């Protein structure tokens, strides 16, 4: 009986430490209001690409500041810092070189 109680308490403690709130950010990358497809979106070691409409989604973000960079051939790269707890939509404008 004591063994079962210890197991239940251990599972409860492990679950409590693994419930960190996760966030998601959505956005769109444009150039003069034209959507840019295939933009490389880099967050830490995670790589994403915008879809045909220039949209992207990044999920499983922890609270706090994150630095994200956007790059596409023939465009100047752009880097922004954001906190997904405060901002969940990022609209980015890239300028052509």
């Amino acid at each position: 009986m004591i063994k079962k109680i210890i197991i239940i308490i251990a599972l409860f403690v492990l679950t409590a430490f693994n419930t960190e709130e996760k966030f998601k950010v959505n956005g769109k990358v444009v150039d003069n209001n034209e959507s840019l497809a295939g933009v490389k979106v880099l967050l830490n070691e995670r790589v994403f690409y915008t879809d045909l409409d220039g949209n992207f989604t990044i999920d499983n973000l922890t609270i706090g500041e994150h630095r994200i960079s956007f790059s596409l051939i023939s465009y100047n790269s752009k880097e922004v810092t954001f906190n997904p707890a405060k901002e969940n939509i990022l609209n980015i404008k890239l300028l052509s070189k």
Side-chain angles (χ1 to χ4, degrees):
M1 179 70 170
I2 293 178
K3 191 174 185 180
K4 287 182 182 181
I5 292 173
I6 292 173
I7 291 172
I8 290 171
I9 291 172
L11 288 174
F12 177 74
V13 170
L14 289 174
T15 304
F17 286 114
N18 197 21
T19 59
E20 185 175 3
E21 190 171 2
K22 299 292 182 177
F23 296 90
K24 177 167 93 169
V25 64
N26 296 304
K28 185 170 191 142
V29 182
V30 299
D31 168 24
N32 296 323
N33 297 325
E34 294 292 323
S35 300
L36 292 176
V39 174
K40 182 178 181 179
V41 182
L42 181 64
L43 173 69
N44 299 326
E45 308 244 341
R46 297 170 62 192
V47 178
F48 305 87
Y49 292 92
T50 58
D51 65 15
L52 293 175
D53 297 318
N55 299 310
F56 66 92
T57 299
I58 303 173
D59 55 7
N60 292 323
L61 295 170
T62 56
I63 196 167
E65 287 194 349
H66 295 273
R67 184 169 296 170
I68 187 170
S69 63
F70 301 86
S71 60
L72 183 64
I73 294 174
S74 300
Y75 287 86
N76 292 317
S77 297
K78 186 169 193 172
E79 189 172 281
V80 297
T81 302
F82 73 101
N83 184 336
K86 297 177 181 177
E87 306 169 78
N88 59 359
I89 298 176
L90 291 177
N91 291 313
I92 305 298
K93 184 175 183 178
L94 293 183
L95 302 174
S96 59
K97 292 183 179 179

